[in-house]
Amino acid sequence: MAYTVPKLDDYSPQALDRAAAELLRALETESAAVTNDSDWKTFRDRWMARKNGILTQLNDGWLKAAPGPQKRAVGQKVNELKARVEESVVATEKRLKGGADLSAESLDVTLPGTRRPLGAEHPITRTMNDIVRVFQHMGYSIAEGPEIETDYYNFESLNFPPNHPARDMQDTIFIAGQETKAPRDRLLLRTHTSPVQIRTMEKQKPPVRVVIPGRVYRNDAPDATHSPMFHQVEGLAVDTNITFRDLKGSLDHAMKELFGSSVKTRFRPSFFPFTEPSAEVLMSCIFCGGGGYQGTQRCPNCKTSGWIEMLGAGMVDPALYGFVGYDPQKVSGFAFGMGVDRLAAMLYGVPDLQLFFSGDVRFFEQFA
Ligand code: PHE
C-alpha cells in the first residue's frame, strides 16, 4: 500500500516521532524502487510537488492543523523531514547518474589487462648511439657542448677568421639582438659539433680521445633531404705522433664495425678550415655492394657510383692548438664529423627526413 500522510490527532512528541518514522520508511522504500529517470521524476513530484506533494501535505495537514502550543515542535519536525526528503531526492538521482547499481557490476578477472604501449628509441637516437658505441669501444669518451654557441667557438677558434669566405659553407642561424657585443661573443645556433673540439681541448691536456654526439642547426629549408636541425657525431684524437694513417685506420675500422667487415673506405681531398690536410671519407655502398646496380636496377643510394659519402675528416690544423694552449711541436691529432640523419634515413629506408621530426606515432611505431 502506498504511503499516505495520516491526519494527526495526537500531537505529543511520541506520536510525532512515530509518524515521522513511518514517513521516512516510506521515503526509503520508494527511493530504492526508483530505477530510471521517469521513475525518479514521479518520485520527486510525489514528495516535493508544490501542489499536493507530500511535503505540502505535511505543511497543511500537520503544521497548520497543529494547536498553538504544539506548533513549534511540529514546525521543527516538519522542517527536519523536509530536509530528509530533499536529500533523498538528490541522492536517488545521483545513484541513477552514477549507474552505481553495484549488484549488476561484477569484475571479470579473466579479461586481458590494459596494455601500456612501450616507448622506443627514436631511430636517429639509435643510430647516433650505435656510432658513439663503436668509438667508445676504441677508448673514446663522450663529450657534449651547448647548442647555442658563440661565434668564437663555432667559427673563430676553428680557424674561420671574421668575414672569411669559408663561413659561407655553413648557412648560419644567428641569435637576434647581439649587435652590441664584440663579434666573437655573439650568439648563434651551432652549425656543427666541431666547437666541442675546442671546448674539450680547453678543459683537458693531451692525450684526448672524445666522441661528440649532438644537434646542430643550419638555415636550410626543410625538404626530403634537408632539415634546419639535424645531428652529427664528431670525433677528436690528439696525442703525440698521431698520423694520417691513424685517421684512416680508425675510420676504416669504425665503418667496418658499423656496417660489416666487407665494406671498404676511400679518402679524397677536401677542405675544412680546422683540418689540414682535409678529406671526405666514402664507404663502399652497403646496398649494392659497391657495384652501383642491384641486379639491373640502378642503386638509388649511391646513384650507381658504388660509394656513399660518410664523413668529413682531417688532421687537426696546428693553428687550433694556439687557441687552446697545446704545443703544436709536441702533439698532433685528427678529427672527423659525420651526419646522422641522412644515414639513419638510408639505413631504415625512410624516404623523407621530415618524417623523423613529425612526431607521428604511426611512423615511430614501426621502429618499436
Ligand atoms: N664540422 C664539419 C662539418 O660540419 C665536419 C668535420 C668535422 C670535418 C671534423 C673535419 C673534421 O661539415
Side-chain angles (χ1 to χ4, degrees):
M1 263 278 280
Y3 172 81
T4 49
V5 180
K7 212 173 114 48
L8 287 186
D9 309 308
D10 180 357
Y11 287 95
S12 71
Q14 294 85 345
L16 215 49
D17 281 348
R18 242 181 289 131
E22 195 195 341
L23 180 143
L24 289 174
R25 268 198 305 279
L27 178 69
E28 201 176 309
T29 318
E30 291 182 26
S31 158
V34 170
T35 57
N36 58 46
D37 216 41
S38 123
D39 282 0
W40 175 77
K41 285 202 176 99
T42 311
F43 170 67
R44 179 196 60 189
D45 294 343
R46 171 164 151 75
W47 287 84
M48 288 177 59
R50 206 150 290 204
K51 216 173 137 200
N52 220 29
I54 289 174
L55 288 182
T56 305
Q57 292 177 44
L58 289 188
N59 239 14
D60 296 345
W62 291 9
L63 187 57
K64 284 190 187 148
Q70 268 87 32
K71 265 211 181 350
R72 202 183 139 83
V74 175
Q76 264 176 8
K77 199 41 109 191
V78 168
N79 275 341
E80 200 185 300
L81 292 171
K82 212 165 142 184
R84 296 284 293 272
V85 168
E86 283 165 3
E87 259 169 44
S88 169
V89 168
V90 171
T92 307
E93 187 186 30
K94 249 195 200 153
R95 168 169 66 76
L96 285 185
K97 286 232 171 82
D101 188 2
L102 289 173
S103 62
E105 194 179 285
S106 58
L107 178 65
D108 184 349
V109 294
T110 66
L111 283 173
T114 313
R115 276 176 206 276
R116 290 178 194 284
L118 273 185
E121 253 176 349
H122 191 287
I124 288 181
T125 308
R126 190 186 298 175
T127 307
M128 196 147 68
N129 288 342
D130 288 344
I131 300 166
V132 165
R133 199 172 309 113
V134 167
F135 288 98
Q136 280 188 295
H137 287 166
M138 291 162 78
Y140 288 60
S141 34
I142 298 177
E144 288 182 298
E147 291 170 27
I148 300 176
E149 254 310 356
T150 59
D151 184 281
Y152 177 75
Y153 283 111
N154 196 79
F155 289 125
E156 207 176 317
S157 63
L158 287 166
N159 211 25
F160 294 81
N163 304 314
H164 193 280
R167 291 185 174 215
D168 290 350
M169 285 165 71
Q170 307 183 343
D171 242 327
T172 308
I173 299 172
F174 294 92
I175 308 277
Q178 303 285 302
E179 297 77 8
T180 56
K181 292 185 181 169
R184 60 164 54 183
D185 295 332
R186 292 182 191 168
L187 298 174
L188 46 78
L189 298 186
R190 68 178 180 189
T191 57
H192 49 179
T193 39
S194 302
V196 189
Q197 289 188 31
I198 302 293
R199 289 181 173 277
T200 303
M201 290 192 283
E202 278 181 347
K203 271 196 280 218
Q204 70 182 82
K205 295 259 148 292
V208 169
R209 276 170 187 75
V210 286
V211 60
I212 304 155
R215 247 179 230 141
V216 301
Y217 302 83
R218 290 190 198 176
N219 189 17
D220 287 327
D223 65 22
T225 54
H226 294 83
S227 166
M229 184 281 295
F230 58 104
H231 301 76
Q232 291 187 333
V233 176
E234 185 101 7
L236 174 69
V238 182
D239 205 339
T240 48
N241 299 316
I242 292 214
T243 69
F244 203 90
R245 287 186 301 181
D246 298 310
L247 171 61
K248 286 194 78 172
S250 299
L251 291 184
D252 186 72
H253 172 76
M255 294 305 116
K256 287 180 159 68
E257 278 291 293
L258 276 168
F259 301 105
S261 54
S262 61
V263 301
K264 294 185 173 66
T265 54
R266 192 179 125 198
F267 287 62
R268 70 181 176 205
S270 185
F271 172 79
F272 300 101
F274 41 94
T275 46
E276 184 59 36
S278 302
E280 232 162 56
V281 185
L282 304 121
M283 175 180 76
S284 56
C285 181
I286 52 176
F287 298 95
C288 63
Y293 286 82
Q294 293 170 302
T296 56
Q297 298 271 22
R298 300 161 56 86
C299 176
N301 296 289
C302 63
K303 301 190 177 66
T304 73
S305 74
W307 295 95
I308 297 175
E309 216 182 290
M310 294 295 294
L311 302 114
M315 301 306 292
V316 176
D317 191 307
L320 268 61
Y321 299 134
F323 285 99
V324 298
Y326 282 13
D327 183 350
Q329 302 300 323
K330 290 207 175 115
V331 295
S332 57
F334 63 75
F336 57 86
M338 64 192 286
V340 178
D341 308 64
R342 285 182 194 168
L343 178 63
M346 212 161 66
L347 291 177
Y348 292 106
V350 173
D352 187 337
L353 278 192
Q354 299 308 312
L355 285 165
F356 283 137
F357 311 119
S358 66
D360 187 333
V361 176
R362 293 167 304 175
F363 171 71
F364 291 108
E365 271 170 352
Q366 302 174 77
F367 302 94

